[in-house]
């Protein structure tokens, strides 16, 4: 049977044309050869022998070695990730006797400072996100670095070492990268959820969690920085996501007075009796830090509102403690706080505060001497005669005058109310 001519066709050979791999192969070989050359004499050693040699080097020596070349740095990163390297480098003897007394001079703290520099150099060429992933993979093995990981947090130096490690690691990073570090810490510790639990519950109802959050915030985020602007940045990261009332609660948890027996937050110390300067120093320093010009995210009104909320936790403070906090916070905050009361028409509260300010200044001068008296007094001679009694009045007039643009209240009314302190001073 003949095949119709219309059905005849020509078969084309099924050939696949491939691109030449010759050039990439040459490039890959040249790259590998370059990496081998940068290893120097270590290129003839098996990796296991190389790791054995690293055991005889200190952390500082390994850190310096990581800057030799990219190939060496990669080999060192592999050593850090190995079981033997992580056991040696990630020391976990945080509960040895005498460590808490040494604290800032403890050898293990210096070890983690050096380790932070080693991690910084080994991950230098990685993006911030990849660096944090690598670091999290390594430090997640240390239980004492976790917010609720240690069974005896008050006797543990783990969080303090973690803070020293992070400080060296992030030194020189810009604010955007440091903000990513804070997000990384929040994700790895679930810090926002735990803070939300505390600020939404009754003060003192979760004492153990309050203690753990306080230790984590102080030891990891706040206590290691030498520049005030760095401390203000991390403190702002902690406070700014929350409303003003919750900011005051969190500030008291982190910086407020604690019990000398178990270290838990002492919520009733400001409402039941007069407090000493040591108990208020942490809060006063934090308020001064936020009021400082280096704290770019805070205005004077924000800080005064925060102080207002703080002095009613868990109930209204004794006026003596309120005044002592203002004295320790400095004249600028004290004047602004009194002017705020005057502008809002709270002249009776202002008069009582002036009276206790005069008494507080006198007590401070009697205890600490003439030099400290000049630092804390509001003006004039707070020790003798009518000049001492006139100084608080003039201080209030000076503070309120700069805020009373529309003449909302009269100086005469203020002076009448301020006269009530004459019977006390």
């Amino acid at each position: 049977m003949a095949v119709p001519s219309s059905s005849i066709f020509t078969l084309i050979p099924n050939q696949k044309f491939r691109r030449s791999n010759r050039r990439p192969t040459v490039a890959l070989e040249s790259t590998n050869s370059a990496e081998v050359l940068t290893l120097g004499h270590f290129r003839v050693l098996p990796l296991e022998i190389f790791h054995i040699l690293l055991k005889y080097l200190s952390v500082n020596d390994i850190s310096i070695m990581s800057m030799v070349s990219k190939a060496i740095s990669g080999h060192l990163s592999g050593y850090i990730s190995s079981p033997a390297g992580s056991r040696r480098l990630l020391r976990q003897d945080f509960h040895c006797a005498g460590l808490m007394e040494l604290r800032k001079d403890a050898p293990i703290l210096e070890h983690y400072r050096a380790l932070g520099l080693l991690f910084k150099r080994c991950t230098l060429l990685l993006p911030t996100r990849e660096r944090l992933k690598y670091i999290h993979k390594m430090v997640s093995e240390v239980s004492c670095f976790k917010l609720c990981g240690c069974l005896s947090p008050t006797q543990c130096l783990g969080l303090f070492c973690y803070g020293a490690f992070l400080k060296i690691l992030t030194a020189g990073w810009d604010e955007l990268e440091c903000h990513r570090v804070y997000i990384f810490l929040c994700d790895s510790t679930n810090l926002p959820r735990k803070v939300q639990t505390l600020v939404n519950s009754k003060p003192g109802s979760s004492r153990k969690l309050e203690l753990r959050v306080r230790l984590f915030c102080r030891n990891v985020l706040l206590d290691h920085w030498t520049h005030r602007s760095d401390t203000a940045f991390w403190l702002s990261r902690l406070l700014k996501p929350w409303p003003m009332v919750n900011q005051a609660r969190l500030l008291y948890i982190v910086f407020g007075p604690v019990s000398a027996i178990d270290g838990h937050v002492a919520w009733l110390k400001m409402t039941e009796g007069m407090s000493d300067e040591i108990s208020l120093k942490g809060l006063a320093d934090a308020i001064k830090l936020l009021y400082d010009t280096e704290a770019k995210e805070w205005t004077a009104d924000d800080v005064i509102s925060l102080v207002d909320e703080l002095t009613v936790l868990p109930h209204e403070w004794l006026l003596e403690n309120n005044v002592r906090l203002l004295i320790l916070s400095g004249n600028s905050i004290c004047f602004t706080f009194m002017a705020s009361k005057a502008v809002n028409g709270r002249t009776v509260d202002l008069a009582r505060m002036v009276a206790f300010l005069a008494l507080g200044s006198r007590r401070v001068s009697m205890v600490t001497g003439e030099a400290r008296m000049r630092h804390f007094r509001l003006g004039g001679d707070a020790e003798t005669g009518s000049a001492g009694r006139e100084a608080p009045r003039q201080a209030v007039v000076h503070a309120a005058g700069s805020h009373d643009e529309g003449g909302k209240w009269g100086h005469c009314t203020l002076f009448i109310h301020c006269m009530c302190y004459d019977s006390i001073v």
Side-chain angles (χ1 to χ4, degrees):
M1 181 176 177
V3 179
S5 59
S6 60
S7 62
I8 296 175
F9 55 89
T10 303
L11 293 176
I12 300 176
N14 187 14
Q15 296 182 0
K16 294 182 178 179
F17 296 94
R18 299 178 180 176
R19 294 182 179 180
S20 174
N21 293 327
R22 187 173 303 167
R23 185 170 299 174
T25 303
V26 173
L28 184 61
E29 290 176 355
S30 62
T31 302
N32 291 335
S33 62
E35 290 183 356
V36 170
L37 289 175
T38 57
L39 287 173
H41 295 293
F42 293 110
R43 68 180 183 274
V44 300
L45 293 178
L47 195 59
E48 293 79 6
I49 304 299
F50 181 71
H51 286 181
I52 292 175
L53 292 177
L54 292 176
K55 293 180 181 179
Y56 296 92
L57 297 180
S58 66
V59 179
N60 286 324
D61 292 335
I62 298 174
S63 178
I64 295 172
M65 188 178 178
S66 67
M67 297 188 293
V68 172
S69 67
K70 182 179 178 181
I72 291 289
S73 179
H75 278 59
L76 294 177
S77 297
Y79 169 70
I80 295 171
S81 303
S82 67
S86 61
R87 279 196 304 270
R88 178 201 169 189
L89 297 176
L90 296 174
R91 295 171 52 185
Q92 302 190 36
D93 47 336
F94 303 118
H95 303 86
C96 296
L99 276 183
M100 295 304 294
E101 288 75 13
L102 292 173
R103 197 166 175 82
K104 292 187 178 181
D105 298 324
I108 192 172
L109 187 63
E110 189 60 34
H111 169 81
Y112 272 97
R113 289 194 183 105
L115 190 63
L117 186 59
L118 172 59
F119 275 64
K120 186 186 189 76
R121 290 171 172 172
C122 283
T123 61
L124 186 63
L125 300 178
L126 296 177
T128 303
R129 195 180 301 274
E130 297 302 320
R131 297 176 86 173
L132 294 176
K133 284 182 180 179
Y134 175 78
I135 292 164
H136 174 65
K137 178 182 176 183
M138 299 304 302
V139 301
S140 60
E141 303 174 6
V142 184
S143 60
C144 290
F145 284 178
K146 300 176 183 178
L147 194 150
C148 297
C150 184
L151 298 178
S152 55
T154 56
Q155 302 299 321
C156 178
L157 208 61
L159 290 178
F160 200 69
C161 290
Y162 190 28
F165 170 83
L166 288 176
K167 180 203 171 183
I168 299 298
L169 177 71
T170 60
W173 291 16
D174 58 30
E175 288 191 358
L176 179 60
E177 290 177 317
C178 291
H179 188 73
R180 289 176 179 171
V181 174
Y182 179 72
I183 294 175
F184 152 74
L185 289 173
C186 289
D187 293 339
S188 59
T189 61
N190 207 8
L191 180 62
R193 185 180 292 267
K194 291 179 171 59
V195 171
Q196 186 176 20
T197 300
L198 293 179
V199 297
N200 290 336
S201 59
K202 184 179 178 181
S205 60
S206 304
R207 301 176 67 199
K208 292 183 178 180
L209 183 58
E210 289 173 354
L211 176 61
R212 290 186 179 275
V213 169
R214 177 191 178 96
L215 292 175
F216 184 86
C217 293
R218 294 288 295 269
N219 292 336
V220 177
L221 298 177
L222 300 173
D223 285 353
H224 293 276
W225 302 103
T226 53
H227 299 292
R228 293 173 59 84
S229 58
D230 293 328
T231 311
F233 171 82
W234 290 102
L235 183 56
S236 299
R237 300 284 71 74
L238 280 171
L239 299 180
K240 274 299 183 180
W242 306 99
M244 190 65 67
V245 177
N246 294 344
Q247 287 179 10
R249 287 277 297 273
L250 183 56
L251 194 70
Y252 195 98
I253 290 173
V254 175
F255 292 103
V258 295
S259 170
I261 300 174
D262 52 15
H264 291 115
V265 179
W267 286 100
L268 300 179
K269 191 165 187 176
M270 300 300 168
T271 61
E272 293 183 341
M274 290 187 61
S275 180
D276 55 1
E277 181 176 336
I278 297 176
S279 300
L280 287 165
K281 188 178 184 303
L283 289 171
D285 289 343
I287 292 169
K288 286 191 291 185
L289 185 68
L290 298 178
Y291 192 82
D292 196 2
T293 55
E294 294 182 357
K296 297 175 289 187
E297 302 175 59
W298 299 83
T299 65
D301 290 339
D302 292 337
V303 178
I304 296 305
S305 299
L306 185 62
V307 174
D308 258 334
E309 296 290 346
L310 184 66
T311 54
V312 294
L313 286 175
H315 311 293
E316 188 172 358
W317 289 12
L318 295 179
L319 192 55
E320 294 91 333
N321 295 332
N322 197 338
V323 167
R324 188 180 291 271
L325 176 65
L326 291 176
I327 292 175
L328 294 176
S329 299
N331 288 345
S332 296
I333 296 175
C334 187
F335 291 159
T336 307
F337 190 81
M338 290 190 296
S340 174
K341 288 189 175 295
V343 171
N344 292 323
R346 298 166 62 180
T347 53
V348 175
D349 293 340
L350 178 59
R352 294 177 63 232
M353 183 170 293
V354 168
F356 281 100
L357 276 170
L359 288 173
S361 298
R362 174 174 292 185
R363 291 191 185 103
V364 168
S365 63
M366 291 174 64
V367 173
T368 60
E370 181 66 22
R372 290 293 295 276
M373 182 194 74
R374 287 197 302 267
H375 177 72
F376 284 117
R377 68 187 180 184
L378 296 175
D381 187 359
E383 287 272 304
T384 59
S386 60
R389 289 191 295 270
E390 187 68 19
R393 297 192 188 102
Q394 293 182 357
V396 176
V397 172
H398 170 75
S402 60
H403 291 75
D404 187 31
E405 298 177 356
K408 298 178 182 178
W409 56 281
H411 290 167
C412 294
T413 304
L414 176 64
F415 277 108
I416 291 173
H417 286 289
C418 287
M419 289 299 292
C420 69
Y421 89 102
D422 287 329
S423 60
I424 304 176
V425 179

